[in-house]
Amino acid sequence: MQKWQTKEQLVDLLCNLVSIPSITGSAAEKDLPGYVVDQLRTLPYYQANPDHVRANPTEDGRHFVTALVKKEGVQDTVILVSHFDVVDVEDYGAWMKHAFDPKTLTPLFQQNQADMPADVQQDIRTGNWLFGRGTMDMKCGLTLHMSMIEQAIAGEFDGNILLLTVPDEEVNSVGMRAAVPALLKIAEEFDLSYTTVLNSEPMFTRYPGDTNTYLYTGSIGKVLPGFLCYGKETHVGEPFAGLNGNYMASQLTCELELNTSFCEVVEGEASPPPTNLIQKDLKKEYSVQIPHRAVTLFNLFLLEKQMEDVVEPLLEAARNVAERMKQNYLVHASQFANFAPFSPRDLSISVMTYEELYAYAKKTYGEEKLRQLEVDVIANRGDKDDRDTTIELVDQLAILCKELSPMMILFFAPPFYPAVSSRNHPLIQQTMEEMKAYARDQHQVNLVKQNYFGGISDLSYVGLQYPAASMKPLVANMPLWDNGYSIPLQELEAFDVPVMNLGPVGRDAHQWTERLDIDYAFDTLKDMLPRCIQSLLQNGKAVKG
């Protein structure tokens, strides 16, 4: 008897997965892989082949799950990838205690429609929606993939299926970064040839009111550039004797926030402009000394740009800001000179990369001094996350080299997601056209091709668009690289498998109104997903042949 094939069975499995509150970094995130493995091991196939399902450790004590269904003498394999971590639920407010209980939360929302936003009321009235954290993003994907595993065991596909579900997608992608080297070893161990990595992230709307259904042939990239602003300390009673770090950071934010010159357009698809994620001064306590050190970090999306194409525009923007601040300082200082007998001083602000600052520090203070500085920061990071630890490393180096101030130092913080697109791969092109026709003819669904999934996903880590060596501007300017964070660039270069994303329809990811269209997920997509897998396997043979 099959466990995960009917709509009712799939809803029950999804609700069981959602009931495990696997918020990124939580104890429950560590527990969920055990549940998935235990469920898979109830299937006779895994009782007969226990080494085909595994909970694989990451570097930090978490686990990702791999489950292989292998046909004798067959190499072609489709990887089904998902993540099982979710974001926190504080936004649910009074509903928070039910956030992981869709069968309770959904009728509560239906009973309290008047308190819901207008678009949620509309969905409640017209559709069959399930509410709760993780229903959409993305435990539905994992639920369907477990259903596909059961179909593979029943011999439904002309090839092998490898389920991969990982932790930490929502923060640093520790799971996927650890999985790629493991996937290479599994391919060697079981004599597999990977055809495609097929994700089932939910469709993300591109604009308010977007009702399109999408099929993705890639995933957007992102980088997290920051500037450490080191001004000059002074008493607030003598502001022209110093330079305020907050002022410097704020001017950089004004320059970069929503700056569309940093957008990329590929075949009519545009990346969103940069937006600020962190901005703060680095004073430890209140005093009447101005905050002369501050930092600002930005989310910057990537499509086809190489890292060298990212660094120079950021530096140029900072140089423009430095010149404007110099001119602004002279204007205000000259005006203030009418009230006090002083001569405005020249203001010069250096703009440099972390790599350049490090090279200066190494030459001036010696490699041993810098190594000890890094060891001390890492050893004392406590509960600082990767962003704060990166900032601390740059800050300590800037303090050591304060004779260079005022200065603005460009650096990169984790995480980094390489952009990936298989839109020109013949296998993906052919399968995509077949799926668009199948969806239209069998389900009256118009699948719209999108080159890049805009929600950021683990598909970023299944290959590189450019040689690993092209990442040097990132590596050299990311202080935490090999100090607690890295990406297996060589393995990604070796892996290089085309990607697709075919997922459910949902609404409001990362919001308290997160919900899943059950009819589309467990009727329409449940029918389309095996067709997509079979097409990938059959077309893969034709492309290779």
Side-chain angles (χ1 to χ4, degrees):
M1 180 178 176
Q2 292 185 309
K3 296 180 61 174
W4 306 313
Q5 297 306 311
T6 70
K7 191 173 186 177
E8 293 74 17
Q9 289 173 332
L10 291 168
V11 170
D12 286 343
L13 175 59
L14 173 59
C15 289
N16 289 339
L17 290 168
V18 170
S19 71
I20 302 172
S22 52
I23 296 169
T24 314
S26 68
E29 187 192 24
K30 294 183 178 180
D31 294 337
L32 194 142
Y35 175 81
V36 174
V37 169
D38 288 344
Q39 288 298 307
L40 290 170
R41 283 181 174 158
T42 65
L43 304 176
Y45 177 85
Y46 291 114
Q47 293 169 5
N49 301 276
D51 62 329
H52 285 206
V53 59
R54 299 170 181 173
N56 309 266
T58 65
E59 62 191 22
D60 60 1
R62 288 178 277 191
H63 289 81
F64 60 92
V65 176
T66 54
L68 174 66
V69 180
K70 177 81 162 68
K71 285 196 165 186
E72 188 68 31
V74 176
Q75 290 184 313
D76 293 337
T77 305
V78 170
I79 300 173
L80 304 178
V81 65
S82 64
H83 70 85
F84 54 77
D85 64 315
V86 298
V87 297
D88 66 41
V89 293
E90 292 180 0
D91 54 328
Y92 278 80
W95 311 104
M96 188 164 63
K97 66 180 180 179
H98 302 302
F100 295 108
D101 185 1
K103 290 185 177 181
T104 298
L105 185 66
T106 300
L108 278 174
F109 278 8
Q110 292 169 344
Q111 294 163 19
N112 292 273
Q113 287 187 45
D115 299 328
M116 302 291 118
D119 60 329
V120 177
Q121 294 184 40
Q122 176 72 10
D123 282 345
I124 290 174
R125 286 193 298 268
T126 60
N128 188 12
W129 295 81
L130 191 70
F131 289 80
R133 178 64 82 231
T135 51
M136 167 195 180
D137 186 14
M138 68 163 294
K139 290 178 179 178
C140 176
L142 173 56
T143 298
L144 285 166
H145 290 178
M146 292 173 72
S147 177
M148 295 303 101
I149 283 290
E150 201 172 33
Q151 289 194 26
I153 291 171
E156 295 295 323
F157 304 118
D158 294 335
N160 311 315
I161 303 299
L162 177 60
L163 178 146
L164 169 66
T165 190
V166 301
D168 193 49
E169 190 267 356
E170 300 290 3
V171 180
N172 284 326
S173 286
V174 165
M176 195 64 190
R177 289 188 287 120
V180 169
L183 291 173
L184 290 171
K185 292 178 181 177
I186 289 172
E188 185 176 351
E189 178 182 357
F190 292 100
D191 191 26
L192 307 178
S193 175
Y194 296 134
T195 299
T196 311
V197 178
L198 179 60
N199 203 347
S200 290
E201 285 273 12
M203 299 175 198
F204 274 62
T205 56
R206 298 180 66 184
Y207 49 85
D210 184 7
T211 58
N212 287 318
T213 50
Y214 292 104
L215 174 65
Y216 303 93
T217 60
S219 190
I220 200 167
K222 72 162 278 181
V223 67
L224 196 60
F227 286 93
L228 192 290
C229 300
Y230 198 117
K232 187 180 187 305
E233 67 276 14
T234 187
H235 190 282
V236 293
E238 298 181 281
F240 288 106
L243 181 61
N244 196 305
N246 280 345
Y247 171 57
M248 300 167 72
S250 68
Q251 294 302 300
L252 279 164
T253 297
C254 289
E255 175 74 14
L256 293 173
E257 181 72 16
L258 304 180
N259 187 333
T260 56
S261 70
F262 286 89
C263 295
E264 290 184 72
V265 180
V266 175
E267 296 182 1
E269 290 180 23
S271 62
T275 189
N276 186 269
L277 289 178
I278 296 174
Q279 181 174 310
K280 60 184 178 180
D281 70 71
L282 302 177
K283 281 180 68 175
K284 304 297 184 185
E285 69 287 315
Y286 172 81
S287 74
V288 291
Q289 182 191 63
I290 66 166
H292 64 285
R293 301 182 343 271
V295 69
T296 182
L297 281 83
F298 300 87
N299 187 91
L300 179 59
F301 285 117
L302 306 175
L303 299 181
E304 292 190 334
K305 284 182 180 177
Q306 298 192 49
M307 285 310 303
E308 63 184 17
D309 301 323
V310 172
V311 170
E312 187 51 41
L314 288 168
L315 291 173
E316 185 61 27
R319 293 185 194 109
N320 293 338
V321 168
E323 181 60 29
R324 281 205 308 271
M325 282 193 293
K326 175 182 177 180
Q327 298 303 322
N328 195 49
Y329 174 88
L330 289 174
V331 168
H332 289 302
S334 297
Q335 291 172 344
F336 189 73
N338 294 323
F339 311 134
F342 91 105
S343 298
R345 63 184 177 89
D346 288 334
L347 178 65
S348 178
I349 302 171
S350 299
V351 175
M352 68 186 78
T353 63
Y354 175 82
E355 181 182 17
E356 291 169 335
L357 180 64
Y358 192 93
Y360 170 85
K362 181 178 178 180
K363 181 179 179 180
T364 307
Y365 298 102
E367 189 171 0
E368 184 59 35
K369 178 76 172 178
L370 303 192
R371 188 179 296 114
Q372 189 58 51
L373 183 151
E374 291 177 350
V375 168
D376 290 344
V377 170
I378 299 300
N380 295 297
R381 68 179 289 176
D383 60 356
K384 289 191 182 79
D385 70 7
D386 285 351
R387 270 64 54 194
D388 284 335
T389 304
T390 297
I391 292 167
E392 182 72 11
L393 284 165
V394 183
D395 189 36
Q396 290 302 315
L397 191 63
I399 291 171
L400 180 66
C401 303
K402 59 183 177 295
E403 65 271 15
L404 298 179
S405 64
M407 56 183 164
M408 295 189 292
I409 305 151
L410 171 65
F411 64 92
F412 294 102
F416 169 62
Y417 287 82
V420 59
S421 179
S422 299
R423 67 186 185 279
N424 296 320
H425 195 287
L427 168 60
I428 302 304
Q429 289 178 327
Q430 184 175 349
T431 303
M432 177 189 63
E433 292 302 324
E434 289 179 5
M435 290 310 301
K436 288 170 66 177
Y438 185 81
R440 181 181 61 251
D441 296 342
Q442 298 298 317
H443 297 285
Q444 295 72 56
V445 170
N446 180 33
L447 281 178
V448 178
K449 185 202 79 166
Q450 191 171 342
N451 294 324
Y452 296 92
F453 174 75
I456 307 174
S457 80
D458 280 332
L459 288 180
S460 284
Y461 299 110
V462 300
L464 291 175
Q465 290 190 133
Y466 302 107
S470 69
M471 297 296 174
K472 183 180 180 299
L474 173 80
V475 173
N477 290 295
M478 184 177 280
L480 214 55
W481 193 274
D482 286 339
N483 274 325
Y485 179 88
S486 63
I487 296 170
L489 295 176
Q490 301 303 324
E491 286 87 346
L492 262 62
E493 197 170 42
F495 194 74
D496 192 28
V497 179
V499 304
M500 279 186 70
N501 191 107
L502 181 62
V505 171
R507 300 273 190 271
D508 297 350
H510 297 194
Q511 300 179 45
W512 64 274
T513 48
E514 177 181 352
R515 58 200 182 276
L516 175 76
D517 183 338
I518 299 175
D519 293 338
Y520 187 91
F522 299 142
D523 289 329
T524 305
L525 183 57
K526 166 69 163 39
D527 177 64
M528 291 196 299
L529 201 55
R531 178 61 178 253
C532 183
I533 294 169
Q534 182 67 2
S535 293
L536 288 168
L537 290 166
Q538 291 178 339
N539 295 337
K541 291 183 176 68
V543 169
K544 288 195 299 185

